[in-house]
């Protein structure tokens, strides 16, 4: 019962923050999982793999809710989704293959680096200049694959990477978020599938599906789906931009802490 309560609490926090700040919960869920999964019997050898895999599994559900809401408002540019999807699918599936060859400590350092870069992006709130000429389809495929793989290696839906790239490709900034939300589903599906396949023979606790820890997945999904609307309501009452700055500082400190811990400095 205590285990379920902890995962429900983690999901509630992730849901509120995602709704409040418009930021996917992966950068919240993974650090929480690093704390909770050892209490559930996950070995240090597979700790980071399980945290990332379970985070991606939750995004399979939350991304559907997110992009359907954006689609209903006409803010998803489906031609761009179709353009990026092939590369994203390949890259996201490869992320699990790559992760399986890496130690939990190396994955943790990669996540820490991603968290620090994400924090800087949130703090600066800048988008790249639009490309003077449209890239070739092969260049788009390679970039989309890199986005998919990078997202899969840190357990996020990829919005923080897809939005700037869509803007670079010439997408209207008002439609970048909705289109990126739709791209989160193929990232999550392919990434989750890969973490299931590659972790099938791992010595995970009962109720695991590859590297996916099902009690954690269910607890987070149930709670986050209930609290995300609350976060959206709070976003209209609280200074969201200032809160994003606070979250950026928090995320930066989390990234630094994880990196130093893995390097045995802290």
């Amino acid at each position: 019962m205590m285990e379920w309560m902890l995962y429900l609490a983690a999901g509630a926090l992730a849901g509120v923050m995602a709704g409040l700040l418009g930021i996917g919960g992966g950068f919240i869920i993974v650090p929480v999982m690093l704390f909770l999964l050892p209490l559930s019997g996950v070995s240090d050898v597979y700790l980071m793999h399980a945290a990332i895999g379970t985070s991606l599994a939750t995004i399979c559900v939350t991304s559907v809710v997110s992009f359907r809401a954006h689609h209903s408002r006409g803010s998803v540019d489906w031609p761009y989704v179709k353009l990026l999807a092939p590369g994203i699918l390949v890259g996201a599936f490869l992320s699990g293959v790559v992760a399986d060859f890496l130690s939990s400590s190396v994955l943790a350092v990669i996540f820490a680096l991603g968290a620090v870069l994400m924090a800087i992006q949130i703090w600066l709130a800048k988008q790249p200049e639009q490309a003077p000429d449209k890239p070739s389809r092969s260049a788009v495929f390679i970039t989309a694959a890199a986005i998919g793989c990078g997202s899969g290696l840190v357990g996020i839906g990829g919005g923080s990477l897809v939005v700037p790239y869509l803007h670079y490709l010439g997408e209207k900034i008002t439609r970048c978020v909705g289109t990126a939300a739709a791209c989160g589903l193929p990232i999550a599906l392919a990434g989750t599938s890969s973490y299931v396949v590659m972790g099938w023979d791992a010595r995970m606790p009962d109720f695991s599906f590859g590297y996916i820890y099902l009690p954690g997945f269910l607890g987070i999904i149930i709670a986050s789906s209930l609290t995300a609307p609350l976060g959206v309501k709070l976003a209209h009452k609280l200074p969201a931009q200032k809160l994003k700055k606070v979250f950026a500082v928090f995320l930066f400190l989390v990234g630094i802490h994880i990196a130093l811990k893995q390097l045995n400095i802290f």
Side-chain angles (χ1 to χ4, degrees), residues 35-211:
F35 173 74
L36 295 180
L37 287 173
L39 303 179
S40 300
V42 176
S43 166
D44 289 344
V45 175
Y46 304 121
L47 179 56
M48 201 67 199
H49 302 77
I52 294 171
T54 306
S55 176
L56 288 171
T58 65
I59 295 169
C60 289
V61 179
T62 57
S63 63
V64 173
V65 177
S66 178
F67 89 71
R68 286 186 65 183
H70 285 289
H71 175 67
S72 66
R73 298 172 185 171
S75 58
V76 176
D77 195 329
W78 289 106
Y80 271 112
V81 176
K82 293 178 181 178
L83 177 66
L84 297 180
I88 280 175
L89 286 167
V90 172
F93 190 84
L94 284 175
S95 69
V97 178
V98 173
D100 195 54
F101 280 97
L102 301 177
S103 68
S104 185
S105 295
V106 172
L107 276 178
V109 172
I110 292 174
F111 175 84
L113 178 61
V116 169
L117 293 176
M118 176 66 169
I120 294 172
Q121 182 187 28
I122 295 172
W123 183 272
L124 296 177
K126 289 184 178 181
Q127 300 294 341
E129 296 292 331
Q130 293 189 351
D133 300 305
K134 288 190 175 182
S136 64
R137 294 187 72 88
S138 60
V140 172
F141 179 89
I142 292 171
T143 304
I147 289 173
C149 189
S151 300
L153 283 173
V154 294
I156 62 174
S160 57
L161 300 175
V162 176
V163 168
Y165 188 58
L166 285 170
H167 187 258
Y168 172 77
L169 291 177
E171 175 68 291
K172 296 178 181 178
I173 193 63
T174 54
R175 304 188 75 185
C176 282
V177 175
T179 306
C183 290
L185 182 57
I187 288 175
L189 287 174
T192 300
S193 299
S194 185
Y195 277 83
V196 168
V197 172
M198 301 309 296
W200 196 255
D201 294 328
R203 294 181 179 178
M204 290 281 290
D206 293 338
F207 308 111
S208 296
F209 203 51
Y211 286 130

Side-chain angles (χ1 to χ4, degrees), residues 3-37:
E3 180 183 7
W4 275 102
M5 294 300 294
L6 290 171
Y7 286 117
L8 286 170
L13 175 62
V16 170
M17 295 300 291
L20 178 62
L21 303 176
I23 296 169
F27 275 118
I28 299 170
I29 293 171
V30 172
V32 172
M33 282 291 182
L34 290 179
F35 173 74
L36 295 180
L37 287 173

